[in-house]
């Protein structure tokens, strides 16, 4: 029997936090093996089988795995029992053009899809709420991590000082080469470029560090932020990397759920 291989993160005994890898599924080629994202062109039968494997691993029904259709914006959606109960069409509409999701409902797995972008997970142990953030360079530039913390504060009365955060697998500074316009955009946004950027032949930007800086700026304690340090570009055998495999390839799903 095929068993999905997940990278689990130590966060809290009341949550399960993880990222999928490329191992332990049915997908083939650049989607192989464990792709669960339906927006990247994978075979629907393989995708369905992989979702069943993931649901079994998490001991929840497939319909309690939540995955938004991301567009590199900063829209955040609260996931409730009412959303889960909607028809598939209505549910997909509510999750369209959404780049972060949050919930305080137990046994709902919320997550985001990445293949070099930065996934960030948040857990509020006081109000028992979680969030998952898709932070590509555009979302990072727009402050999606800050925005999601603000949304958690609004919906769940989260205090940033209480949050625990995990920065999951994504592209590293040495592999994230950018053009002058992207470098300029980060400079214009007020980032300390000496801290977040390096020039090799071209400029490179440290996206994981940018998201750490955002979290610290809104009040998350530095010691409560765990950066996995996994570079998807360097570890393409284990994690999907669009820069290595192309856009027609699988995606990592980085998720978090509150236990019963």
């Amino acid at each position: 029997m095929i068993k999905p291989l997940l990278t689990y993160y130590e966060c809290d005994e009341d949550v399960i936090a993880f990222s999928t890898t490329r191992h332990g599924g049915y997908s083939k080629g650049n989607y192989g093996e464990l792709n669960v994202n339906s927006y990247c062109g994978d075979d629907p039968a393989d995708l369905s089988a992989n979702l069943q494997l993931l649901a079994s691993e998490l001991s929840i029904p497939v319909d309690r795995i939540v995955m938004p259709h991301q567009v590199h914006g900063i829209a955040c959606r609260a996931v409730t029992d009412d959303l889960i109960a909607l028809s598939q069409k209505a549910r997909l509409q509510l999750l369209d053009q959404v780049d972060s999701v949050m919930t305080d409902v137990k046994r709902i797995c919320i997550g985001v899809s990445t293949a070099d972008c930065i996934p960030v997970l948040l857990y509020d142990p006081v109000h028992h709420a979680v969030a998952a953030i898709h932070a590509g360079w555009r979302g990072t530039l727009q402050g999606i991590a800050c925005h999601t913390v603000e949304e958690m504060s609004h919906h769940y009365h989260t205090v940033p000082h209480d949050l625990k955060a995990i920065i999951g697998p994504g592209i590293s500074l040495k592999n994230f080469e950018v053009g002058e316009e992207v470098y300029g955009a980060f400079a214009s946004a007020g980032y300390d470029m000496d801290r977040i950027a390096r020039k090799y032949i071209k400029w490179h930007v440290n996206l994981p560090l940018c998201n750490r800086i955002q979290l610290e700026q809104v009040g998350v304690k530095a010691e409560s932020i765990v950066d996995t340090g996994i570079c998807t570009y360097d570890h393409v055998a284990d994690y999907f990397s669009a820069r290595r495999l192309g856009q027609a390839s699988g995606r990592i799903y980085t998720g978090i759920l509150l236990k019963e």
Side-chain angles (χ1 to χ4, degrees):
M1 178 179 176
I2 293 179
K3 179 178 174 61
L5 181 59
L6 309 184
T7 300
Y8 287 101
Y9 307 120
E10 291 186 11
C11 180
D12 189 278
E13 63 181 9
D14 292 327
V15 302
I16 299 173
F18 66 92
S19 293
T20 59
T21 69
R22 294 188 65 187
H23 307 296
Y26 292 95
S27 295
K28 304 167 187 68
N30 283 351
Y31 297 100
E33 298 167 347
L34 187 59
N35 172 59
V36 295
N37 182 285
S38 62
Y39 300 106
C40 57
D42 197 3
D43 181 86
D46 292 340
L47 173 68
S48 178
N50 289 341
L51 281 168
Q52 289 287 349
L53 288 174
L54 179 59
S56 295
E57 174 73 11
L58 299 174
S59 299
I60 59 174
V62 169
D63 66 1
R64 294 182 79 82
I65 297 175
V66 174
M67 192 179 314
H69 181 206
Q70 302 156 190
V71 292
H72 296 276
I74 62 169
C76 180
R77 175 72 67 195
V79 178
T80 63
D81 278 324
D82 288 341
L83 186 148
I84 296 297
L86 291 172
S87 68
Q88 182 72 359
K89 181 179 179 181
R91 177 171 160 173
L92 290 175
Q93 287 177 339
L94 282 177
L95 292 171
D96 188 40
Q97 302 187 59
V98 169
D99 280 83
S100 72
V101 281
M102 59 186 179
T103 192
D104 62 351
V105 182
K106 294 179 179 179
R107 299 187 72 247
I108 289 178
C109 180
I110 58 171
V112 291
S113 302
T114 60
D116 288 332
C117 294
I118 311 303
V120 181
L121 301 177
L122 302 176
Y123 173 52
D124 176 353
V126 177
H127 300 94
H128 301 288
V130 292
I133 302 165
H134 163 243
W137 74 261
R138 293 176 180 83
T140 298
L141 193 62
Q142 296 174 77
I144 189 170
C146 296
H147 178 67
T148 304
V149 172
E150 291 168 359
E151 288 293 299
M152 290 185 75
S153 298
H154 174 72
H155 281 264
Y156 310 123
H157 308 291
T158 292
V159 177
H161 189 78
D162 296 327
L163 283 170
K164 297 181 180 182
I166 297 166
I167 299 173
I171 197 163
S172 62
L173 166 71
K174 76 183 182 73
N175 292 311
F176 187 51
E177 180 182 286
V178 301
E180 291 286 344
E181 72 285 357
V182 175
Y183 176 89
F186 277 89
S188 297
Y191 280 95
D192 179 349
M193 301 310 289
D194 289 336
R195 184 180 178 192
I196 70 156
R198 295 287 183 276
K199 191 163 190 177
Y200 300 98
I201 296 174
K202 293 186 177 181
W203 283 108
H204 290 231
V205 170
N206 191 331
L207 285 182
L209 178 57
C210 289
N211 283 279
R212 170 182 278 277
I213 289 169
Q214 283 188 34
L215 293 171
E216 291 180 7
Q217 286 178 339
V218 294
V220 181
K221 294 183 292 186
E223 60 268 28
S224 297
I225 303 170
V226 175
D227 184 349
T228 62
I230 300 169
C231 176
T232 46
Y233 190 95
D234 281 343
H235 295 90
V236 68
D238 296 319
Y239 299 94
F240 293 107
S241 167
R243 287 202 172 197
R244 293 287 295 274
L245 300 170
Q247 289 297 321
S249 59
R251 301 292 185 268
I252 303 160
Y253 178 73
T254 296
I256 188 166
L257 73 158
L258 295 161
K259 295 180 182 177
E260 190 65 60

